[in-house]
Amino acid sequence: MATTAGVYRNGNHSRNSQSTNNNKAEKPLSFNPNPKNSLKSKSLPGSGLRRSAPSSLGTAKDDTGVPGRVRVAVRLRPRNEEEMVADADFADCVELLPEVKRLKLRKNNWDSDTYEFDEVLTEFASQKRVYEVVAKPVVESVMDGYNGTVMAYGQTGTGKTYTLGRLGEEDTSARGIMVRAMEDILADVSQETDSVSVSYLQLYMETIQDLLDPTNGNISIVEDPKSGDVSLPGASVAEIRNQKSFVELLRLGEAHRFAANTKLNTESSRSHAILMVHVKRSFKGRDSILSSETGNNPHMAKSLKPPIIRKGKLVVVDLAGSERIDKSGSGGHTLEEAKSINLSLSALGKCINALAENSSHVPIRDSKLTRLLRDSFGGSARTSLVITIGPSPRHRGETASTIMFGQRAMKVENMLKLKEEFDYKSLSRRLDIQLEKLIAEHEKQQKAFENEIERVTTEAKLQISESERTYAVELEKERLNNQKEYMESIKKLEEKWMMNQQKHAGGENIAGLKDESSNWISNGEDSRVANMEELSEMKTKLQKETLLRKAAEEEVNKLKSQLAELKKSEASAKSDISKLQKKLEDEACQKEKLEGEIAILQSQLLQISFEADETARRIDKGWYEKVPGSLDSLMLQVRQPQNNDSGNGEKASIAKLFEQVGLQRILSLLEAEDVDVRIHAVKVVANLAAEGFFLVLYQHFASPSFYGQHQLIQNCASSDIPSKTNQEKIVEAGGLKSLLMLLRSSKDETIHRVAAGAIANLAMSETNQELIMAQGGIRLLSMTAGSAEDPQTLRMVAGAIANLCGNDKLQMKLRGEGGIKALLGMVRCGHPDVLAQVARGIANFAKCESRASTQGTKNERSLLIEDGVLPWIVQNANNEASPIRRHIELALCHLAQHEVNAKDMISGGALWELVRISRDCSREDIRTLAHRTLTCSPTFQAGMSRLGIDY
Ligand code: ADP
Ligand code: MG
């Protein structure tokens, strides 16, 4: 493939076929025109829920990415006026062949070297084209939730700032990459759910300054040891809403930018300018069942999906001129500057060389620039580099070295990773709102119901008393009437009877006086007739009376039946009331059920948060010692929970749960018949047990000597630490016993996992450790360790045993009941999280043993060696997972402390590992410990000389 006049350079040492450049048939090197397609499998919002099981969050198995090589374009600046004159008689030192993406660098008049790039941009290439081939694919990746870097490298005056930073206000076609990238970003984000913010910085003489706020000098870089993400918490961050405000910011930054004049170009800069654009986008999770308010569905929480947030970061770097500094030679503190500028740039060159050659050591920590760009080269970002060159043969040397830099960068392979996470805060907020709504709705219904019952009751009472009153009045009236009529008729009858009597007596007298015989007959006739008349009159009257009486009686009967009727209706009203009361009780029952479901819902939410935080919880003491900054932030969480939304929300939720359900009730649910209920109850207890975690950490680390600020600790103690932790409450209420019983009696894997997790959390305190041992916990945990298959269960069990291993008093018993064998047995699972816990347990145990032997209370060989731990730890001492490796390294150092173990360690191959640790271990304290042990122990000394180890 070598051309007639030169050597064909790149592609020869490529690491894989993807970076092979000289095979035309493959055509692999065009800038990926459509990253959306190539990343589809990772970036669809729907399938983006690939971390559907919360337990997989933050675990290593999700860390696979998409391979993406660093792409490099070369751009040639047109001759400037000076060159037109000075170089008029000379040809350009380069010749571009854009169709075949090659560049020829002239050696002399008859010989040249040829290089191939991903893109070759001639002096005629427009700013638009440069943006489209260099930056647009990167910007699109950032919009999809990946990190991206666009960087310009080249000699001062070759057009780096022209390419990246032109604002193009007078001539929009001249706009550079920064402005065009922001245009594309703003066009694509949603103003409601997404946010765009920028920081603009300058790195000059190993000091990072804030270009948005010149008073803000010397900003420090913070690295997240877990994710490897770098951030600059001290830098100002400006929220961008429109293009105008962004251009305004760039102008402001440019005004602040330190630019030292050089001989080559008055506008050139010796500082590195770094623009960081953070794009945060939110995608809705599926939660249709929750929002449809089905209320009584106990499984409603199962389809609950929190929204997903994707955070892409675009970094645009305008590097300082790549020329050797003596050439630009201006006065002042140039020499100092030269050193510093060379420091960052040469460190960048070294890193890229190391990455290109696939070397095991990449000196990232050598400069601030390389620390800032760790994700851009060999990291998880999509990276595009534009190298700028000038045409002048006078600068052929610089041009050649720029080209070589670009060639090496093309060999750097990145692994693109999606930066997405669940938005727990908004899920929790939504759940809270839902909960409030349910409670309010329920209260409203109950109130309405009570009112209704009250109304019906008063109405019925009123009706009854009204009827009774009218009835009594009517009855009395009727009685009086009848009585009166009766009396009157009696009186009349008496009068009549009297009158008749008198008449009789009078007639007899008169007859005696008058003609007795004649008159008597006629008188007798008359009176008889009159009597007869009177009698019949009386008879009718009597009949009338009888009728009246009958009518009265009927009236009375009618009233009586009316009364009975009323009584009946009263009884039915009463039964209505009791029915309503029954209904009310049912409602209360329903409410209780609803509350139970709300509790389950909350426990699930807590479970999600709990497991998401698990990585943090797994972090052990060693890590904190190594990274005190992180402990600071953790302490801050403990100290200022009000500043921490999610922490606060979780605490509040647990408190609410406590209030609503009560610990006793939760513990009693551990024995519920329904497996689902039991599982949720265990989860709630696990969460409650985990809540004490920060307290335990606090007690562990907040000794004045460790933290050094007495006042701070007093604040912690007085304000935010509860007087009695949930853990204590759980243990007091017999929760530990119930959890252990669940390990024994339940067959359900989930219950095993969550119960073991809760026990692991409880096992962080010394008192609980003793209780767990006394209640036969180690046997139960060993039993579970032997039977479980789910790595998460094993991780919890191993974590619990590992905690117990750290208690000096329990060593013999723990070993005697098979704890160490059980721990070792779990390595069969092979999951790195489980192995890390096993390693931690062994390290804890070894530490206690070494303490005991130092104090002279133990003289025999290590129980760990007795139980056959040595082969496994030797085999894994250099495990690639750092938590496993670190614990084992510690364990080996502790075992080696005691001379009685030395022979076994040498024959088991541990000596090699100790030597390695003393030389290579990244932790200085472990390294020193290993070194001291090796130099002090005569057995090891002898072993090393026997094995020919030169120490
Ligand atoms: P650097 O940032 O690499 O030091 P500059 O971007 O400041 O270089 O460019 C130096 C000079 O060259 C500026 O005057 C700029 O306008 C000019 N220049 C650079 N690239 C081009 C180009 N592609 N077309 C026209 N002029 C250019
Ligand atoms: Mg510049």
Side-chain angles (χ1 to χ4, degrees), residues 75 77-78 155-162 166 265 267-268:
R75 184 182 199 187
R77 171 175 58 67
Q155 190 186 356
T156 299
T158 50
K160 296 184 294 298
T161 308
Y162 184 90
R166 282 288 293 255
N265 188 304
E267 286 169 61
S268 70

